[in-house]
């Protein structure tokens, strides 16, 4: 198979988890990567470990000015940009009634408005150069409401709707769009959910590694897939169940008990 020409990637949330794993994989394949994160030290440490074709920038993804500065740096450093990977996100755990409204708002700002802001800023440059690829790392919670992380799921459902609408609008511009929906992944976010009793539902399925998600993302980019679900063998059931509120209510107690049992086992294993 003909080896693909090296490309330039911009990855948000790259100081840890899926973002860092994706940057490592791309760098190992010979691509250039600009790593972005609000955690300036963390993202620079990851970039420094990847060699001369990696660089880092501190970025608040909700800031339009921050995006313009980060993109200017990327084009100055690498001469172009081929692929944007919107990956950064946060989670605030707890029953919705117990979470301050300001925290719900922050989740929406970062998980939805952040990728929206970055996609539009990057799209302008992609349109000008006649090519580019916008990649959204979303979530299977964009199909199934998850108690304990209600705002997170809401932000991801909004993100999926926006991503596809934008892709439809730009279908004749030479810009490609891919969205990937990871299942539960072993990241600091999952560790946070492990510690909150309200989040038992999040442990219904066995989590995957950030490296597994990174491989899925990179494969989807290479194939220019439109939408990818994880894990594929369960995705159809999750998508159908998530849109059937009546059935979910009937099954909820059983599903929650399974998730809480798995959550408890995780806690015990981490104590031993």
């Amino acid at each position: 198979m003909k080896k693909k020409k090296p490309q330039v990637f911009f990855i948000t949330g790259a100081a840890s988890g899926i973002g860092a794993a994706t940057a490592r994989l791309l760098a190992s394949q010979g691509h250039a990567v600009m790593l972005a994160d609000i955690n300036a030290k963390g993202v620079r440490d990851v970039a420094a470990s990847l060699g001369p074709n990696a660089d880092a920038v501190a970025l608040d993804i909700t800031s339009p000015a921050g995006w313009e500065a980060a993109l200017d740096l990327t084009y100055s450093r690498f001469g172009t940009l081929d692929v944007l990977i919107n990956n950064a996100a946060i989670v605030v755990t707890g029953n919705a009634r117990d979470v301050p409204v300001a925290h719900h708002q922050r989740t929406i700002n970062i998980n939805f408005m952040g990728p929206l802001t970055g996609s539009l800023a990057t799209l302008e440059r992609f349109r000008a150069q006649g090519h580019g690829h916008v990649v959204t790392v979303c979530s299977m919670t964009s199909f199934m409401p998850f108690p304990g992380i209600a705002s997170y799921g809401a932000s991801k459902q909004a993100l999926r709707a926006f991503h596809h609408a934008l892709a439809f609008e730009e279908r004749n511009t030479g810009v490609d769009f891919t969205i990937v929906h990871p299942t539960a992944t072993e990241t600091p976010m999952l560790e946070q959910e492990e510690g909150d009793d309200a989040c038992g539902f999040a442990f219904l399925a066995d989590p995957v590694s950030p490296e597994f998600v990174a491989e899925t993302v990179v494969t989807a980019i290479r194939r220019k897939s439109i939408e990818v679900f994880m894990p594929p063998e369960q995705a159809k059931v999750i998508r159908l169940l998530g849109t059937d509120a009546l059935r979910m209510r009937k099954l909820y107690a059983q599903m929650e008990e399974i998730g809480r049992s798995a959550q408890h086992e995780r806690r015990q294993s981490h104590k031993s």
Side-chain angles (χ1 to χ4, degrees), residues 39-249:
N39 177 358
K41 182 182 184 305
V43 77
R44 286 170 183 148
D45 287 346
V46 175
S49 72
L50 301 183
N53 283 333
D55 207 341
V57 60
L59 174 63
D60 173 357
I61 62 170
T62 66
S63 166
W67 270 103
E68 294 301 332
L71 291 171
D72 283 345
L73 178 63
T74 303
Y75 278 85
S76 174
R77 173 70 169 80
F78 297 112
T80 190
L81 176 62
D82 299 295
V83 183
L84 165 67
I85 303 179
N86 279 312
N87 166 73
I90 65 165
V91 68
V92 176
T93 64
N95 291 317
R97 65 180 180 273
D98 298 325
V99 176
V101 170
H103 291 185
H104 287 299
Q105 184 66 64
R106 181 169 178 261
T107 300
I108 298 297
N109 287 347
I110 292 174
N111 294 3
F112 173 55
M113 291 303 299
L116 179 153
T117 303
S119 294
L120 295 180
T122 310
L123 179 64
E124 183 177 352
R125 301 184 188 225
F126 283 172
R127 286 174 60 98
Q129 68 191 24
H131 69 89
H133 196 160
V134 176
V135 179
T136 300
V137 179
C138 197
S139 170
M140 288 305 294
T141 62
S142 64
F143 300 96
M144 177 176 285
F146 264 59
I149 51 172
S151 296
Y152 178 87
S155 69
K156 293 298 186 175
Q157 292 192 30
L159 182 58
R160 179 178 184 269
F162 175 80
H163 172 97
H164 283 306
L166 186 62
F168 296 152
E169 291 174 356
E170 302 298 325
R171 63 191 179 278
N172 297 319
T173 62
V175 180
D176 296 302
F177 288 81
T178 295
I179 188 167
V180 179
H181 301 284
T183 183
T185 307
E186 291 288 0
T187 63
M189 191 178 294
L190 192 66
E191 293 173 9
Q192 184 178 345
E193 293 167 5
E194 179 185 321
D196 194 324
D197 288 340
C199 296
F201 206 79
F203 296 89
L204 276 169
D206 292 333
V208 297
S209 70
E211 290 73 23
F212 178 81
V213 178
E215 290 176 2
T216 302
V217 170
V218 172
T219 298
I221 293 170
R222 185 179 70 249
R223 294 176 177 173
K224 295 187 177 179
S225 303
I226 293 174
E227 191 159 31
V228 176
F229 312 100
M230 299 170 58
E233 63 274 9
Q234 299 175 15
K236 185 176 181 179
V237 172
I238 293 171
R239 289 158 60 199
L240 289 174
L241 181 59
T243 57
D244 189 340
L246 178 60
R247 188 178 177 206
M248 275 198 71
R249 289 196 179 198

